[in-house]
PDB file of all heavy atoms in Angstrom:
ATOM      1  N   GLY A  10      -0.816  10.842  -6.674  1.00 95.00           N
ATOM      2  CA  GLY A  10      -1.621  10.150  -7.696  1.00 95.00           C
ATOM      3  C   GLY A  10      -2.975  10.827  -7.876  1.00 95.00           C
ATOM      4  O   GLY A  10      -3.458  11.008  -8.997  1.00 95.00           O
ATOM      5  N   CYS A  11      -3.587  11.220  -6.753  1.00 97.00           N
ATOM      6  CA  CYS A  11      -4.895  11.916  -6.816  1.00 97.00           C
ATOM      7  C   CYS A  11      -4.749  13.254  -7.522  1.00 97.00           C
ATOM      8  O   CYS A  11      -5.606  13.633  -8.335  1.00 97.00           O
ATOM      9  CB  CYS A  11      -5.438  12.181  -5.411  1.00 97.00           C
ATOM     10  SG  CYS A  11      -5.850  10.696  -4.533  1.00 97.00           S
ATOM     11  N   ALA A  12      -3.680  13.973  -7.198  1.00 97.00           N
ATOM     12  CA  ALA A  12      -3.474  15.293  -7.809  1.00 97.00           C
ATOM     13  C   ALA A  12      -3.318  15.136  -9.323  1.00 97.00           C
ATOM     14  O   ALA A  12      -3.816  15.965 -10.094  1.00 97.00           O
ATOM     15  CB  ALA A  12      -2.258  15.983  -7.197  1.00 97.00           C
ATOM     16  N   ARG A  13      -2.652  14.066  -9.760  1.00 96.00           N
ATOM     17  CA  ARG A  13      -2.524  13.828 -11.213  1.00 96.00           C
ATOM     18  C   ARG A  13      -3.891  13.579 -11.841  1.00 96.00           C
ATOM     19  O   ARG A  13      -4.214  14.125 -12.895  1.00 96.00           O
ATOM     20  CB  ARG A  13      -1.617  12.625 -11.486  1.00 96.00           C
ATOM     21  CG  ARG A  13      -0.164  12.943 -11.351  1.00 96.00           C
ATOM     22  CD  ARG A  13       0.702  11.698 -11.523  1.00 96.00           C
ATOM     23  NE  ARG A  13       1.980  11.919 -10.864  1.00 96.00           N
ATOM     24  CZ  ARG A  13       2.958  12.642 -11.384  1.00 96.00           C
ATOM     25  NH1 ARG A  13       2.818  13.179 -12.574  1.00 96.00           N
ATOM     26  NH2 ARG A  13       4.082  12.829 -10.716  1.00 96.00           N
ATOM     27  N   ALA A  14      -4.697  12.768 -11.170  1.00 97.00           N
ATOM     28  CA  ALA A  14      -6.052  12.481 -11.694  1.00 97.00           C
ATOM     29  C   ALA A  14      -6.863  13.771 -11.753  1.00 97.00           C
ATOM     30  O   ALA A  14      -7.552  14.057 -12.747  1.00 97.00           O
ATOM     31  CB  ALA A  14      -6.740  11.442 -10.822  1.00 97.00           C
ATOM     32  N   LEU A  15      -6.779  14.576 -10.699  1.00 97.00           N
ATOM     33  CA  LEU A  15      -7.528  15.843 -10.666  1.00 97.00           C
ATOM     34  C   LEU A  15      -6.992  16.819 -11.713  1.00 97.00           C
ATOM     35  O   LEU A  15      -7.754  17.594 -12.300  1.00 97.00           O
ATOM     36  CB  LEU A  15      -7.444  16.478  -9.277  1.00 97.00           C
ATOM     37  CG  LEU A  15      -8.239  15.762  -8.183  1.00 97.00           C
ATOM     38  CD1 LEU A  15      -7.907  16.350  -6.806  1.00 97.00           C
ATOM     39  CD2 LEU A  15      -9.738  15.871  -8.437  1.00 97.00           C
ATOM     40  N   GLY A  16      -5.684  16.771 -11.924  1.00 96.00           N
ATOM     41  CA  GLY A  16      -5.042  17.669 -12.892  1.00 96.00           C
ATOM     42  C   GLY A  16      -5.561  17.435 -14.309  1.00 96.00           C
ATOM     43  O   GLY A  16      -5.550  18.341 -15.136  1.00 96.00           O
ATOM     44  N   GLU A  17      -6.005  16.203 -14.576  1.00 96.00           N
ATOM     45  CA  GLU A  17      -6.510  15.888 -15.923  1.00 96.00           C
ATOM     46  C   GLU A  17      -8.019  16.132 -16.038  1.00 96.00           C
ATOM     47  O   GLU A  17      -8.586  16.028 -17.119  1.00 96.00           O
ATOM     48  CB  GLU A  17      -6.232  14.406 -16.235  1.00 96.00           C
ATOM     49  CG  GLU A  17      -4.761  14.127 -16.480  1.00 96.00           C
ATOM     50  CD  GLU A  17      -4.430  12.639 -16.347  1.00 96.00           C
ATOM     51  OE1 GLU A  17      -5.358  11.804 -16.289  1.00 96.00           O
ATOM     52  OE2 GLU A  17      -3.228  12.330 -16.266  1.00 96.00           O
ATOM     53  N   ALA A  18      -8.666  16.404 -14.907  1.00 97.00           N
ATOM     54  CA  ALA A  18     -10.136  16.482 -14.912  1.00 97.00           C
ATOM     55  C   ALA A  18     -10.632  17.880 -15.277  1.00 97.00           C
ATOM     56  O   ALA A  18     -10.082  18.874 -14.815  1.00 97.00           O
ATOM     57  CB  ALA A  18     -10.675  16.075 -13.547  1.00 97.00           C
ATOM     58  N   LYS A  19     -11.689  17.896 -16.074  1.00 98.00           N
ATOM     59  CA  LYS A  19     -12.373  19.169 -16.349  1.00 98.00           C
ATOM     60  C   LYS A  19     -13.611  19.290 -15.469  1.00 98.00           C
ATOM     61  O   LYS A  19     -14.059  20.373 -15.135  1.00 98.00           O
ATOM     62  CB  LYS A  19     -12.794  19.235 -17.820  1.00 98.00           C
ATOM     63  CG  LYS A  19     -11.633  19.465 -18.770  1.00 98.00           C
ATOM     64  CD  LYS A  19     -12.164  19.921 -20.119  1.00 98.00           C
ATOM     65  CE  LYS A  19     -11.124  20.527 -21.032  1.00 98.00           C
ATOM     66  NZ  LYS A  19      -9.765  20.071 -20.878  1.00 98.00           N
ATOM     67  N   LEU A  21     -15.271  17.891 -11.884  1.00 98.00           N
ATOM     68  CA  LEU A  21     -15.093  17.177 -10.615  1.00 98.00           C
ATOM     69  C   LEU A  21     -16.393  17.262  -9.819  1.00 98.00           C
ATOM     70  O   LEU A  21     -16.994  18.332  -9.710  1.00 98.00           O
ATOM     71  CB  LEU A  21     -13.976  17.836  -9.790  1.00 98.00           C
ATOM     72  CG  LEU A  21     -13.881  17.419  -8.318  1.00 98.00           C
ATOM     73  CD1 LEU A  21     -13.386  15.971  -8.180  1.00 98.00           C
ATOM     74  CD2 LEU A  21     -12.955  18.364  -7.533  1.00 98.00           C
ATOM     75  N   LEU A  93     -10.743  24.458  -4.856  1.00 98.00           N
ATOM     76  CA  LEU A  93     -10.622  23.627  -6.068  1.00 98.00           C
ATOM     77  C   LEU A  93     -11.240  24.318  -7.281  1.00 98.00           C
ATOM     78  O   LEU A  93     -10.862  24.044  -8.416  1.00 98.00           O
ATOM     79  CB  LEU A  93     -11.290  22.262  -5.844  1.00 98.00           C
ATOM     80  CG  LEU A  93     -10.530  21.292  -4.931  1.00 98.00           C
ATOM     81  CD1 LEU A  93     -11.380  20.078  -4.586  1.00 98.00           C
ATOM     82  CD2 LEU A  93      -9.221  20.851  -5.597  1.00 98.00           C
ATOM     83  N   LEU A  96      -8.867  25.765  -9.573  1.00 97.00           N
ATOM     84  CA  LEU A  96      -7.893  24.850 -10.185  1.00 97.00           C
ATOM     85  C   LEU A  96      -8.519  23.902 -11.206  1.00 97.00           C
ATOM     86  O   LEU A  96      -7.817  23.314 -12.017  1.00 97.00           O
ATOM     87  CB  LEU A  96      -7.217  24.021  -9.081  1.00 97.00           C
ATOM     88  CG  LEU A  96      -6.407  24.838  -8.075  1.00 97.00           C
ATOM     89  CD1 LEU A  96      -6.132  24.037  -6.811  1.00 97.00           C
ATOM     90  CD2 LEU A  96      -5.099  25.283  -8.714  1.00 97.00           C
ATOM     91  N   ILE A  97      -9.828  23.744 -11.135  1.00 98.00           N
ATOM     92  CA  ILE A  97     -10.521  22.811 -12.037  1.00 98.00           C
ATOM     93  C   ILE A  97     -11.700  23.554 -12.663  1.00 98.00           C
ATOM     94  O   ILE A  97     -12.394  24.316 -11.970  1.00 98.00           O
ATOM     95  CB  ILE A  97     -11.001  21.568 -11.249  1.00 98.00           C
ATOM     96  CG1 ILE A  97      -9.793  20.825 -10.671  1.00 98.00           C
ATOM     97  CG2 ILE A  97     -11.831  20.632 -12.134  1.00 98.00           C
ATOM     98  CD1 ILE A  97     -10.128  19.714  -9.716  1.00 98.00           C
ATOM     99  N   VAL A 185     -13.805  12.753 -12.225  1.00 98.00           N
ATOM    100  CA  VAL A 185     -13.371  12.312 -10.892  1.00 98.00           C
ATOM    101  C   VAL A 185     -14.482  12.632  -9.901  1.00 98.00           C
ATOM    102  O   VAL A 185     -15.119  13.694  -9.990  1.00 98.00           O
ATOM    103  CB  VAL A 185     -12.078  13.034 -10.440  1.00 98.00           C
ATOM    104  CG1 VAL A 185     -11.656  12.576  -9.041  1.00 98.00           C
ATOM    105  CG2 VAL A 185     -10.933  12.804 -11.416  1.00 98.00           C
ATOM    106  N   LEU A 187     -14.870  12.939  -5.761  1.00 98.00           N
ATOM    107  CA  LEU A 187     -14.134  12.980  -4.496  1.00 98.00           C
ATOM    108  C   LEU A 187     -15.170  12.826  -3.376  1.00 98.00           C
ATOM    109  O   LEU A 187     -16.010  13.708  -3.187  1.00 98.00           O
ATOM    110  CB  LEU A 187     -13.420  14.339  -4.417  1.00 98.00           C
ATOM    111  CG  LEU A 187     -12.659  14.750  -3.172  1.00 98.00           C
ATOM    112  CD1 LEU A 187     -11.535  13.773  -2.845  1.00 98.00           C
ATOM    113  CD2 LEU A 187     -12.053  16.161  -3.376  1.00 98.00           C
ATOM    114  N   ARG A 211     -13.055   8.331 -11.996  1.00 98.00           N
ATOM    115  CA  ARG A 211     -12.219   7.755 -10.942  1.00 98.00           C
ATOM    116  C   ARG A 211     -12.743   8.220  -9.591  1.00 98.00           C
ATOM    117  O   ARG A 211     -13.270   9.343  -9.469  1.00 98.00           O
ATOM    118  CB  ARG A 211     -10.770   8.155 -11.145  1.00 98.00           C
ATOM    119  CG  ARG A 211     -10.157   7.230 -12.208  1.00 98.00           C
ATOM    120  CD  ARG A 211      -8.678   7.348 -12.274  1.00 98.00           C
ATOM    121  NE  ARG A 211      -8.328   8.432 -13.154  1.00 98.00           N
ATOM    122  CZ  ARG A 211      -7.070   8.721 -13.500  1.00 98.00           C
ATOM    123  NH1 ARG A 211      -6.073   8.012 -13.018  1.00 98.00           N
ATOM    124  NH2 ARG A 211      -6.812   9.719 -14.310  1.00 98.00           N
ATOM    125  N   ILE A 213     -12.080   9.002  -5.583  1.00 98.00           N
ATOM    126  CA  ILE A 213     -11.142   9.273  -4.483  1.00 98.00           C
ATOM    127  C   ILE A 213     -11.975   9.383  -3.214  1.00 98.00           C
ATOM    128  O   ILE A 213     -12.953  10.143  -3.179  1.00 98.00           O
ATOM    129  CB  ILE A 213     -10.399  10.618  -4.693  1.00 98.00           C
ATOM    130  CG1 ILE A 213      -9.655  10.639  -6.036  1.00 98.00           C
ATOM    131  CG2 ILE A 213      -9.447  10.885  -3.525  1.00 98.00           C
ATOM    132  CD1 ILE A 213      -9.047  12.010  -6.384  1.00 98.00           C
ATOM    133  N   LEU A 241      -4.092  17.937  -0.521  1.00 98.00           N
ATOM    134  CA  LEU A 241      -4.448  17.597  -1.902  1.00 98.00           C
ATOM    135  C   LEU A 241      -4.444  18.851  -2.783  1.00 98.00           C
ATOM    136  O   LEU A 241      -3.928  18.834  -3.904  1.00 98.00           O
ATOM    137  CB  LEU A 241      -5.835  16.934  -1.896  1.00 98.00           C
ATOM    138  CG  LEU A 241      -6.348  16.346  -3.192  1.00 98.00           C
ATOM    139  CD1 LEU A 241      -5.375  15.323  -3.761  1.00 98.00           C
ATOM    140  CD2 LEU A 241      -7.716  15.682  -2.964  1.00 98.00           C
ATOM    141  N   VAL A 242      -4.982  19.940  -2.253  1.00 98.00           N
ATOM    142  CA  VAL A 242      -5.022  21.193  -3.028  1.00 98.00           C
ATOM    143  C   VAL A 242      -3.598  21.696  -3.277  1.00 98.00           C
ATOM    144  O   VAL A 242      -3.257  22.113  -4.393  1.00 98.00           O
ATOM    145  CB  VAL A 242      -5.886  22.256  -2.300  1.00 98.00           C
ATOM    146  CG1 VAL A 242      -5.708  23.625  -2.938  1.00 98.00           C
ATOM    147  CG2 VAL A 242      -7.358  21.845  -2.338  1.00 98.00           C
ATOM    148  N   LEU A 245      -2.123  19.584  -5.978  1.00 97.00           N
ATOM    149  CA  LEU A 245      -2.711  19.899  -7.295  1.00 97.00           C
ATOM    150  C   LEU A 245      -2.128  21.205  -7.841  1.00 97.00           C
ATOM    151  O   LEU A 245      -1.815  21.304  -9.026  1.00 97.00           O
ATOM    152  CB  LEU A 245      -4.235  19.989  -7.169  1.00 97.00           C
ATOM    153  CG  LEU A 245      -5.005  20.346  -8.438  1.00 97.00           C
ATOM    154  CD1 LEU A 245      -4.723  19.362  -9.568  1.00 97.00           C
ATOM    155  CD2 LEU A 245      -6.513  20.385  -8.162  1.00 97.00           C
ATOM    156  N   ARG A 249      -0.342  21.717 -11.498  1.00 70.00           N
ATOM    157  CA  ARG A 249      -0.978  22.513 -12.554  1.00 70.00           C
ATOM    158  C   ARG A 249       0.059  23.300 -13.326  1.00 70.00           C
ATOM    159  O   ARG A 249       0.856  24.037 -12.746  1.00 70.00           O
ATOM    160  CB  ARG A 249      -1.962  23.517 -11.936  1.00 70.00           C
ATOM    161  CG  ARG A 249      -3.310  22.917 -11.672  1.00 70.00           C
ATOM    162  CD  ARG A 249      -4.051  22.849 -12.956  1.00 70.00           C
ATOM    163  NE  ARG A 249      -5.370  22.283 -12.772  1.00 70.00           N
ATOM    164  CZ  ARG A 249      -6.036  21.676 -13.747  1.00 70.00           C
ATOM    165  NH1 ARG A 249      -5.520  21.559 -14.932  1.00 70.00           N
ATOM    166  NH2 ARG A 249      -7.226  21.205 -13.530  1.00 70.00           N
TER     167      ARG A 249
END
Side-chain angles (χ1 to χ4, degrees):
C11 294
R13 282 176 203 282
L15 289 171
E17 288 162 12
K19 286 197 165 29
L21 166 70
L93 287 170
L96 297 163
I97 298 171
V185 179
L187 175 59
R211 279 192 274 185
I213 303 173
L241 187 56
V242 169
L245 178 57
R249 276 282 180 205

